[in-house]
Amino acid sequence: MSIDEKTVRKVAKLARLALPEERVAPMAKELNGIMAWIEQLNEVDVEGVEPMTSAVEGLSLPMRDDVVTAGDDPGKVLKNAPKSEDGFFVVPKVVE
């Protein structure tokens, strides 16, 4: 599969990317390189290989004991906070 400059422009428009005209040709070349790598993956023989759902499937991860700690001491909890006020963390406003 080959990606031409017309396709690059169309994908950029659909993705709402402002792609300058001088970047269209290099982008087509990069995308064609990526597609070549993907086509190489089709050559791999995966007959009899079960699909993985997780890299740690079948392994049991170590668990720590659930114990009560000094989390109820605001002085210790807020000690390393960049900014605190009245026993609470002060964070920047994220909703206008």
Side-chain angles (χ1 to χ4, degrees), residues 54-64:
S54 171
V56 293
E57 190 174 300
L59 299 175
S60 63
L61 298 175
M63 301 288 280
R64 65 174 172 81

Side-chain angles (χ1 to χ4, degrees), residues 79-94:
K79 183 179 176 183
N80 292 322
K83 194 172 182 184
S84 64
E85 184 176 309
D86 298 327
F88 297 97
F89 290 100
V90 176
V91 297
K93 184 177 178 181
V94 293

Side-chain angles (χ1 to χ4, degrees), residues 2-42:
S2 180
I3 297 176
D4 59 357
E5 293 181 14
K6 180 181 175 186
T7 305
V8 171
R9 286 186 195 94
K10 181 178 179 180
V11 171
K13 182 179 179 183
L14 291 172
R16 296 190 185 340
L17 296 174
L19 189 63
E21 191 60 34
E22 64 271 7
R23 285 288 301 139
V24 173
M27 183 63 68
K29 185 178 178 184
E30 287 178 40
L31 291 173
N32 280 315
I34 292 170
M35 295 304 289
W37 278 101
I38 292 171
E39 287 176 13
Q40 281 186 356
L41 290 175
N42 288 330

Side-chain angles (χ1 to χ4, degrees), residues 49-76:
V49 177
E50 298 231 0
M52 288 178 40
T53 57
S54 171
V56 293
E57 190 174 300
L59 299 175
S60 63
L61 298 175
M63 301 288 280
R64 65 174 172 81
D65 291 333
D66 205 11
V67 295
V68 177
T69 62
D72 59 345
D73 184 359
K76 286 183 180 178

